[in-house]
Amino acid sequence: MAAPFTRVCRPLWRIITTTTLNKGARNISSSRQQWSAQNVKTAVAASPWALHGAVCLQRLPVVSQDRSPIEEEFMELMHQMELERSLLSDHELRLLEDAARMSRKQEEDYDSDEEDEDYRDKEIVTAQDLEDTWEQKLKQFQPAPRSQGVDKKDMGSSELCLADSLILLVKKDVGSQKLWLLPQIQWQMGETLRQTAERALASLPGADLKATFLGNAPCGFYKYKYPKDIQKEDSVGAKVFFFKAVLSGHKHLPLEKNSFAWVKKDELQDFLKPEYLKQVRRFIMAL
Amino acid sequence: MNTLLNKALLLQNTRALVCAASSVQSQVLTTQMPLGLLLTNRQYRSMPTHGIGKYRHLLPKALPKKKKDRVQAKQIKAATATEFGVFNVCVSGYDMTLVEHYSQYIHNLCNHLDIKADESYALPTKSTEVMVMQEQGTKMYVDAVLKTHERVVQISEMKATLLPILMEVVLKNQPEGVQLCVKQHTEVDFQSRFKTRPELEGLLAKINN
């Protein structure tokens, strides 16, 4: 007797993924008039989600990355090939001419009138002399150091890893706990989300950061619900829109270590919550 | 009668072959025709080899070469809410290989991301002379001549959501010693590419005055 074969149907819980970038773009408008017009329409039905604007501030790499050994070897090989294939430059031709002239001078039956007219000027300053003066000048030149010698543990300084791009994180209290997140602030009526992001950057305590925003459209999005005890009829959670910005200007004062951090992309997981990290990782490029 | 016909046919065949070579000889042959057989030069349309040597109909239509008109200024498209208008990405620097390779990289990136790159041109090279003051004395002498090269990639009708991504990639891959500048394209930018015509302007000024 065969056991009855029952098939258990599990209901498929569809995880509603966060909205795409396009939707985000449609919500944002670049002119104030359009925004206020939209506001009039939505004043009737206010959404239970609070809007936040956040900024993903990046410090771009200052120096190029170091080459791996293979890359070094290849570069040497290419340089050598190029040198062997190239033609002589003016300066090199002059060097050869001067050398030939010197050897001619040593001979017994040398007649200086047989030389060219423009020999008179070159007699005083030969090409070799020029080369020597140039080498002297090069020795006096001091290039800037490739690493500013900042301790790796000091996350507050923006001079950390000059060869990588770093992202700014702030420690904020959200509800009852202190979390590391990208600087964000609540959206106010009558301003565009990009202005919210700019405000978020400007309102950071103790930081005087000048940044250029890349475009009016947001690059990422994160949605979270408030914990059950805070949730009310008209505030279920918050939606955060991220904007990309690039740090401008060179010297910045080191920021407070406890509340600010400049991190690379692979160090992000030590700081951010998993859900948040998953969304943020989508738009941060580690090039 | 048969032999005559055969002869005539044979002669006709040979004459057809010779006709392909030159038409002068065919006239000579016709005079030599026996029995006054009138063989004309023309090949009839029913002949299988009719029009065998024609090729002009296979070539592409070559329009009569007209004189090059003045380069018209293209209509500069305005920006809409979701798309940018026309803007220029200028790459400038002292090292020509770096500047050119970087501008090529930007152009290829645009092609890869399906962004329309309208034009890609070079602006004239600017030479800067670096003069150094002598230690003892007031005379300055030329120390070095630096050449600034500039390349422009013109992009039109790009989606606004794509700009932050493109800008970030381009900025992160910027080589050392190369400056990047992104600005809107205006009529002035277009006109600055043309050479000035001083004698024309002088004459115009004279007419107006």
Side-chain angles (χ1 to χ4, degrees):
Chain A
M1 275 183 297
F5 182 65
T6 51
R7 240 193 304 176
V8 178
C9 255
R10 285 218 165 76
L12 282 165
W13 294 108
R14 264 247 186 94
I15 301 163
I16 296 169
T17 51
T18 54
T19 57
T20 58
L21 280 172
N22 286 341
K23 209 166 177 197
R26 254 185 266 129
N27 279 339
I28 312 307
S29 59
S30 48
S31 65
R32 221 164 239 225
Q33 291 92 24
Q34 273 180 306
W35 189 246
S36 46
Q38 255 186 351
N39 269 347
V40 170
K41 282 184 230 154
T42 55
V44 182
S47 139
W49 298 91
L51 282 181
H52 290 261
V55 61
C56 167
L57 183 65
Q58 287 186 315
R59 192 229 55 200
L60 295 176
V62 178
V63 288
S64 56
Q65 289 184 339
D66 291 325
R67 281 180 275 266
S68 63
I70 297 179
E71 284 176 351
E72 283 276 2
E73 276 182 37
F74 187 67
M75 195 184 81
E76 301 255 339
L77 180 68
M78 294 306 287
H79 274 314
Q80 202 180 354
M81 277 175 65
E82 207 186 302
L83 188 69
E84 281 169 13
R85 279 197 203 152
S86 65
L87 302 169
L88 293 170
S89 69
D90 284 343
H91 177 72
E92 283 170 337
L93 284 172
R94 236 187 101 179
L95 275 172
L96 288 174
E97 271 175 24
D98 284 347
R101 201 178 295 127
M102 293 309 273
S103 62
R104 270 205 302 268
K105 256 192 187 169
Q106 309 306 333
E107 284 173 34
E108 283 152 7
D109 53 346
Y110 171 69
D111 189 3
S112 70
D113 297 333
E114 279 178 0
E115 299 281 341
D116 296 326
E117 296 90 47
D118 40 324
Y119 161 62
R120 315 268 178 261
D121 317 319
K122 291 182 197 166
E123 193 182 34
I124 306 164
V125 184
T126 60
Q128 192 60 45
D129 295 336
L130 283 174
E131 228 183 88
D132 291 333
T133 46
W134 294 337
E135 255 197 69
Q136 286 297 315
K137 271 203 203 143
L138 183 66
K139 285 207 183 105
Q140 289 170 357
F141 175 68
Q142 295 292 336
R146 269 183 81 90
S147 75
Q148 296 287 16
V150 176
D151 188 19
K152 275 220 178 279
K153 297 288 176 246
D154 182 15
M155 292 296 196
S157 167
S158 68
E159 312 274 342
L160 262 189
C161 319
L162 287 180
D164 297 308
S165 51
L166 303 174
I167 305 161
L168 179 68
L169 290 182
V170 274
K171 203 166 194 181
K172 231 174 98 156
D173 353 336
V174 169
S176 50
Q177 16 166 290
K178 275 190 174 283
L179 289 178
W180 282 103
L181 25 87
L182 300 175
Q184 74 182 49
I185 208 167
Q186 181 128 17
W187 168 75
Q188 280 163 2
M189 203 74 83
E191 65 172 5
T192 65
L193 268 171
R194 177 175 155 163
Q195 284 168 353
T196 318
E198 281 166 6
R199 212 159 44 89
L201 192 59
S203 68
L204 288 173
D208 183 24
L209 302 164
K210 299 274 179 304
T212 335
F213 276 79
L214 309 168
N216 290 331
C219 59
F221 167 74
Y222 176 64
K223 181 169 89 170
Y224 64 93
K225 285 188 176 175
Y226 295 139
K228 278 279 191 293
D229 38 352
I230 305 184
Q231 263 187 38
K232 287 193 291 255
E233 198 34 68
D234 56 346
S235 75
V236 173
K239 291 185 180 176
V240 191
F241 287 95
F242 298 98
F243 285 83
K244 273 209 177 146
V246 164
L247 193 69
S248 55
H250 300 286
K251 265 292 176 198
H252 291 282
L253 303 163
L255 307 166
E256 239 185 84
K257 229 191 295 182
N258 291 331
S259 48
F260 294 97
W262 290 99
V263 288
K264 293 192 275 202
K265 187 176 175 181
D266 25 352
E267 289 167 9
L268 273 180
Q269 61 210 35
D270 303 328
F271 287 80
L272 302 178
K273 289 269 155 108
E275 277 300 317
Y276 192 74
L277 176 68
K278 202 168 83 166
Q279 290 304 319
V280 164
R281 241 199 201 149
R282 286 176 74 182
F283 59 81
I284 294 187
M285 289 190 249
L287 284 174
Chain B
M1 196 54 192
N2 254 347
T3 49
L4 279 170
L5 271 171
N6 281 342
K7 240 193 205 170
L9 276 169
L10 185 64
L11 282 164
Q12 201 174 23
N13 281 344
T14 51
R15 195 188 50 71
L17 284 169
V18 176
C19 247
S22 68
S23 54
V24 177
Q25 283 183 11
S26 63
Q27 283 186 357
V28 174
L29 277 168
T30 44
T31 50
Q32 285 176 359
M33 278 300 105
L35 299 177
L37 262 173
L38 192 59
L39 293 163
T40 60
N41 226 354
R42 184 197 292 273
Q43 281 186 340
Y44 286 107
R45 295 205 190 114
S46 54
M47 183 104 169
T49 55
H50 176 75
I52 193 169
K54 276 198 210 170
Y55 67 91
R56 283 287 291 275
H57 63 285
L58 296 169
L59 293 174
K61 291 263 182 305
L63 297 159
K65 193 169 176 183
K66 55 180 186 177
K67 212 168 135 185
K68 222 176 182 181
D69 347 309
R70 160 118 26 126
V71 175
Q72 298 296 334
K74 272 187 276 196
Q75 203 69 33
I76 299 177
K77 294 166 196 130
T80 66
T82 49
E83 279 188 4
F84 280 99
V86 183
F87 63 93
N88 292 346
V89 178
C90 308
V91 179
S92 62
Y94 294 129
D95 190 357
M96 178 145 96
T97 50
L98 277 181
V99 167
E100 277 200 350
H101 281 253
Y102 189 49
S103 72
Q104 281 169 12
Y105 167 74
I106 296 177
H107 203 303
N108 282 332
L109 191 68
C110 291
N111 290 346
H112 185 65
L113 296 173
D114 290 327
I115 301 172
K116 197 158 64 154
D118 265 349
E119 277 181 46
S120 166
Y121 53 85
L123 294 175
T125 321
K126 298 189 184 106
S127 299
T128 323
E129 273 190 358
V130 176
M131 320 267 301
V132 174
M133 190 93 111
Q134 271 180 345
E135 282 102 40
Q136 297 96 17
T138 51
K139 205 175 105 164
M140 297 223 275
Y141 64 94
V142 176
D143 192 24
V145 175
L146 296 171
K147 291 196 192 155
T148 311
H149 308 267
E150 201 169 318
R151 302 278 180 273
V152 174
V153 178
Q154 196 174 84
I155 298 176
S156 73
E157 288 175 354
M158 192 171 102
K159 285 205 188 340
T161 47
L162 203 49
L163 181 75
I165 303 168
L166 177 76
M167 281 316 302
E168 199 180 333
V169 173
V170 157
L171 279 168
K172 282 195 174 170
N173 285 311
Q174 192 177 353
E176 295 153 316
V178 166
Q179 279 90 43
L180 180 73
C181 169
V182 177
K183 48 189 183 192
Q184 201 122 43
H185 182 68
T186 55
E187 188 67 34
V188 177
D189 285 331
F190 180 70
Q191 294 294 341
S192 66
R193 285 177 73 191
F194 292 107
K195 276 158 74 161
T196 56
R197 291 202 273 184
E199 58 293 325
L200 181 69
E201 281 166 15
L203 289 171
L204 277 172
K206 273 194 199 159
I207 293 172
N208 290 339
N209 285 352

